[in-house]
Every structure is written in C-alpha cells, then in structure tokens.
C-alpha cells in the first residue's frame, strides 16, 4: 500500500508546505502525517474512493474489537457497509423508540434519589450500554442501579461475547430488528464468517454506547453552565409535552425538537464526540488546491480545531452558542465545516441511531430535572483520545421540576 518511500513523501511536503493552508505535517513512527483543518481538503479526503481506509491510528483497536466497520479496510469495508446499511433503516430505528424511552426512565429513577451527580459520564455510559445491548443482542440486562455504578451490566456485557460457532448457523433469526439476528442471517447466507459476526457485534456495541453517552453528558453539562439555553430547551419541550412526568417520546416528537437539535449540534461542535479522524490514501490523489499527494500518506483530520476556527464560526467560535445553528447562520457555511459524524463515503453508519437516542434521553431528563453547576466553561480541559474525554467532569446539581 505504501508505494512511495517516506523520504520522498517528506520532500513533497517540504516543497508544497506553504500551499497547504491550514495543514501541517508530523510523523507517526516512520510515516508522515498531514494534519488538516481546512474544510475543502477534508472534503477531498472524505469523498475520495482512494481514502476510505482508516489510518494507522486505529490499528490498536483491532486487538480489542476485531476488524469491523470501524477498523476494516477495502475491499472488505465496502462489502460489509452495504450489507449492514439495512440494520439502520428508518423502520428499524422507529422500532427502537420504546427501548430508548424505557431505559431513560431507569436513569430518572436513579436521579430522583439524588440532589447532585458527580459521575454523570459513568451513569450515561451504563444507560447507553444497556440500550446498545438491547438493540444489538435483544437482551434486557438489569443492573444494580446504585449511583450509576452498574457493575452487573458491565459483567453481563462481557458474558455476551457469544460463541458464534457453526451450530448457530441453522437457527432461524428471532427478530430481524435486532442486530445479532441480522448478522446471523447474513452468516446463514454465507455473507459473513463467524469471526466477522463477532467483530461487527463488538464494533456496533462500542460505537453505539460511548460517543452517545458522552454527547448526552456534555450537552447536560453545557446546559447546566448556560442556564439561559437550558430554559429555552425546556420551553420547547413543554410545548411538545404539556403534561410532565411519565411520557413517551415518539419519533415524530424528535423531529419537532428544533431548538434541541440546535443545542445538540452546538454541543457536538465545541465538544465533538470524535475529535480526530485518521485516513490513508491507497492511490495518488490531487487536492482542491492542486497539490498532488502520493499514495501512502496518513491524513489526520482535526475536527476539534476546525469546529473552533474563527474564520469559519466567527470571533466567538470557542464559546457555546446554539444560535450558530440558526438557519440564518448556517446558510452559506461550508458543508464540511461541521462533521461530528464525519461525512462522505465512510461516515458513521449509526449517526441517526445516536441522535434519536440522545434526543429521547435529553427530552425526558430536562422535562424532569433542572441541572446546574459551579464549574466554569473556561476551565474545561481535555485528554487526547479517539473519543473526546474531559480531565475533570463537572458535578451537576439536580433540581426536580
């Protein structure tokens, strides 16, 4: 794959470095890496058929989750993506709405017993992992529900590393809305091997729970820091759900949450679930600016930095402000300036699933509780990670509505 020697690539980068704009190069072991925050160049890469392979950054994940949609390379990735697209169809996503609702009710029960929460990330990870297990395996795992430390749930997840040997192949799928049964059906048709089913199950579980948990947590945290925006969300929700308490959020309701959508988008802008994406090119490509990149270069797409560029988002780009997503402000903005789920040929297959789960959770939580915190937005600090992590998660105070 790496058809050009590293020294030759470095010569190219040195020659054209002044022409790259918001790009820089660094080294990943013996491989050069282009770090990019320019929307035009990011679009070039994400839409190129020669840049669908993930970069070397993801190699360590293979030991943990195998070669699923996150880590697999061409041509396997394209085949699997086409086979798995139906698993996230509109009909199937709608069938998950009762699960999304039921699991949030468990969180409400826990928060009703507390006046503050110091481990909201853990609590939400337990919630989204349980949702993921139910929608992936069709299993309802009930944890101990104590302060968000759902050890029972996590232990059960480890037990769900099913031994998918050939004895499973003949059985009829029980529920084709559940990912496991869809994968087994593909195995029965000889489209998947046993190992591929296991790898895709691990991948879907990982992708379904951690980034969604962080998005819910960080949105609650930001609304606690900016109570004026929390009040606007609450007013919108009251117009949709005039009778607070135990209510169900429908798919149609989520489509009517206009301001909520703006808040979630702004949360993912300043705190993107995946702040950095890596790609590599299997063939020479020419970028929009005319630069020709030889095969074998690692591309680092710095989403976090691009989402905060002042020339794209204005002088207050570092500040949380949902008005950034008013129609009047989004008109004319570069379509690749905001890519929390990436875009192009290898965008996140479950982005609609994640948004639906997030909207249901936030709607029910914000209708039942008012959140506040003494922690200041300017004091947020982050770890360098594939998913965005905070060095310190603010304690949230909880007031029942």
């Amino acid at each position: 794959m790496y058809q050009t020697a590293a020294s030759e690539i470095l010569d190219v980068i040195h020659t054209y470095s002044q022409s790259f704009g918001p790009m820089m190069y660094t080294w990943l072991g013996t491989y050069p890496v282009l770090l990019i925050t320019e929307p035009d160049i990011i679009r070039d890469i994400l839409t190129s058929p020669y840049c669908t392979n993930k970069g070397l950054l993801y190699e360590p994940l293979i030991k943990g989750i195998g070669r699923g949609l996150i880590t697999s390379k061409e041509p396997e990735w394209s085949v699997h993506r086409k086979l798995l697209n139906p698993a996230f169809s509109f009909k199937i996503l709608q069938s998950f709405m009762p699960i999304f609702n039921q699991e949030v009710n468990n969180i409400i029960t826990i928060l009703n017993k507390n006046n503050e929460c110091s481990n909201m990330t853990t609590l939400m990870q337990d919630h989204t992992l349980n949702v993921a297990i139910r929608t992936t395996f069709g299993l309802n795992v009930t944890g101990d529900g104590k302060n968000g430390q759902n050890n029972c749930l996590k232990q059960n997840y480890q037990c769900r590393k099913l031994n998918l040997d050939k004895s499973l192949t003949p059985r009829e799928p029980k529920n084709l809305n559940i990912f496991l049964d869809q994968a087994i059906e593909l195995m029965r048709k000889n489209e998947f091997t046993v190992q591929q089913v296991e790898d895709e199950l691990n991948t879907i579980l990982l992708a379904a729970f951690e980034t969604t948990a962080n998005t819910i947590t960080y949105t609650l945290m930001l609304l606690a820091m900016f109570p004026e925006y929390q009040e606007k969300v609450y007013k919108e929700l009251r117009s949709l759900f005039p009778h607070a308490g135990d209510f169900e959020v429908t798919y149609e309701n989520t489509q009517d949450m206009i301001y909520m959508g703006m808040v979630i988008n702004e949360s993912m802008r300043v705190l993107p679930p995946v702040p950095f994406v890596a790609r590599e090119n299997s063939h020479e490509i020419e970028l929009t600016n005319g630069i020709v990149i030889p095969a074998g270069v690692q591309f680092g797409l710095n989403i976090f930095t691009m989402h905060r560029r002042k020339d794209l988002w204005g002088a207050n780009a570092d500040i949380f402000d949902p008005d950034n997503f008013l129609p009047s402000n989004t008109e004319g903005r570069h379509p690749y300036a905001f890519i929390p789920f990436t875009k192009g040929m290898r965008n996140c297959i479950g982005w609609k699933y994640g948004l639906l789960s997030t909207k249901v959770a936030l709607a029910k939580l914000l209708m039942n509780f008012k959140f506040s915190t003494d922690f200041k937005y300017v004091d947020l600090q982050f770890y360098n990670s594939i998913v965005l992590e905070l060095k310190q998660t603010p304690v949230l105070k909880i007031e029942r509505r």
Side-chain angles (χ1 to χ4, degrees):
M1 179 178 297
Y2 299 97
Q3 301 171 5
T4 307
S7 59
E8 294 177 288
I9 302 172
L10 183 58
D11 288 339
V12 172
I13 295 172
H14 274 307
T15 303
Y16 294 107
S17 60
Q18 298 303 313
S19 304
F20 279 111
M23 300 171 64
M24 63 178 292
Y25 69 86
T26 184
W27 288 89
L28 180 65
T30 58
Y31 298 100
V33 181
L34 285 176
L35 301 179
I36 307 165
T37 62
E38 172 56 50
D40 279 334
I41 307 302
I42 287 178
R43 177 170 56 187
D44 290 341
I45 293 165
L46 293 182
T47 59
S48 171
Y50 303 120
C51 297
T52 54
N53 285 340
K54 294 290 186 73
L56 293 174
L57 175 69
Y58 299 88
E59 289 296 319
L61 282 178
I62 295 174
K63 292 183 179 180
I65 63 174
R67 295 188 179 277
L69 284 181
I70 291 178
T71 55
S72 60
K73 295 181 180 293
E74 292 286 24
E76 181 181 50
W77 175 80
S78 290
V79 173
H80 283 206
R81 177 62 182 253
K82 185 176 180 180
L83 290 170
L84 294 177
N85 275 332
F88 295 90
S89 69
F90 173 72
K91 179 180 178 181
I92 288 178
L93 291 179
Q94 277 195 312
S95 76
F96 293 155
M97 293 299 292
I99 295 175
F100 296 156
N101 277 274
Q102 291 161 17
E103 292 302 326
V104 182
N105 292 339
N106 296 332
I107 299 299
I108 292 172
T109 299
I110 294 172
L111 294 182
N112 266 324
K113 301 175 183 177
N114 298 277
N115 294 319
E116 67 176 34
C117 183
S118 60
N119 59 344
M120 187 62 75
T121 300
T122 302
L123 186 65
M124 289 305 160
Q125 285 180 346
D126 291 342
H127 160 69
T128 55
L129 181 55
N130 205 7
V131 170
I133 289 175
R134 291 186 66 180
T135 57
T136 302
F137 290 104
L139 299 170
N140 192 353
V141 183
T142 302
D144 52 32
K146 295 179 180 178
N147 301 318
Q149 301 298 328
N150 201 333
N151 296 319
C152 174
L153 173 62
K154 292 172 183 175
Q155 290 167 5
N156 273 278
Y157 165 59
Q158 296 299 325
C159 295
R160 303 311 176 189
K161 304 278 254 181
L162 301 179
N163 181 20
L164 295 172
D165 57 26
K166 292 183 180 179
S167 64
L168 283 174
T169 305
R171 84 166 175 85
E172 290 293 329
K174 298 176 182 178
N175 180 359
L176 285 179
N177 284 350
I178 299 302
F179 187 83
L180 171 62
D181 285 304
Q182 295 177 62
I184 290 174
E185 177 67 9
L186 290 170
M187 190 167 63
R188 292 174 71 240
K189 296 177 179 178
N190 294 319
E191 301 278 9
F192 274 179
T193 65
V194 172
Q195 185 61 55
Q196 287 169 337
V197 170
E198 290 184 344
D199 291 350
E200 295 298 355
L201 285 168
N202 287 334
T203 297
I204 292 298
L205 277 171
L206 173 67
F209 96 91
E210 188 166 19
T211 55
T212 302
N214 286 355
T215 299
I216 297 169
T217 300
Y218 298 164
T219 302
L220 288 175
M221 176 188 74
L222 290 166
L223 290 176
M225 293 175 174
F226 297 90
E228 65 273 26
Y229 301 136
Q230 184 175 174
E231 189 61 25
K232 288 185 178 181
V233 172
Y234 180 65
K235 287 181 178 179
E236 178 180 74
L237 292 173
R238 283 304 301 263
S239 70
L240 297 173
F241 310 104
H243 305 292
D246 187 13
F247 61 94
E248 290 291 296
V249 179
T250 67
Y251 176 84
E252 290 71 25
N253 291 149
T254 65
Q255 303 310 293
D256 292 331
M257 296 177 189
I258 306 304
Y259 192 73
M260 173 77 84
M262 292 168 53
V263 166
I264 294 171
N265 281 343
E266 180 67 356
S267 173
M268 293 190 295
R269 183 186 72 83
V270 296
L271 301 175
V274 180
F276 188 89
V277 175
R279 293 284 191 274
E280 62 185 24
N281 60 325
S282 58
H283 189 277
E284 179 183 278
I285 62 171
E286 181 176 355
L287 303 178
T288 298
N289 59 11
I291 303 277
V292 176
I293 305 295
V297 171
Q298 300 288 311
F299 297 102
L301 313 186
N302 191 334
I303 296 172
F304 185 95
T305 299
M306 182 178 69
H307 279 187
R308 291 171 176 244
R309 277 181 52 179
K310 288 180 169 55
D311 59 329
L312 297 174
W313 297 93
N316 296 321
D318 288 326
I319 303 300
F320 176 76
D321 182 2
D323 283 357
N324 279 313
F325 289 90
L326 285 169
S328 58
N329 290 330
T330 58
E331 185 177 352
R333 184 176 292 148
H334 197 291
Y336 278 71
F338 176 65
I339 52 169
F341 303 103
T342 73
K343 282 189 176 181
M345 300 183 67
R346 196 163 180 166
N347 71 325
C348 175
I349 191 173
W351 71 272
K352 291 182 180 179
Y353 172 105
L355 277 182
L356 280 176
S357 179
T358 297
K359 282 189 173 182
V360 173
L362 289 173
K364 302 194 80 165
L365 291 172
L366 291 167
M367 279 292 289
N368 280 275
F369 307 103
K370 181 177 181 179
F371 297 89
S372 60
T373 184
D374 295 327
F375 200 97
K376 304 300 181 184
Y377 176 79
V378 294
D379 294 330
L380 290 173
Q381 294 181 298
F382 314 100
Y383 284 117
N384 291 322
S385 177
I386 290 179
V387 296
L388 188 69
E389 296 182 20
L390 301 179
K391 289 188 176 180
Q392 181 180 355
T393 301
V395 174
L396 297 187
K397 299 176 183 178
I398 304 167
E399 179 184 344
R400 290 154 198 80
R401 291 200 183 266

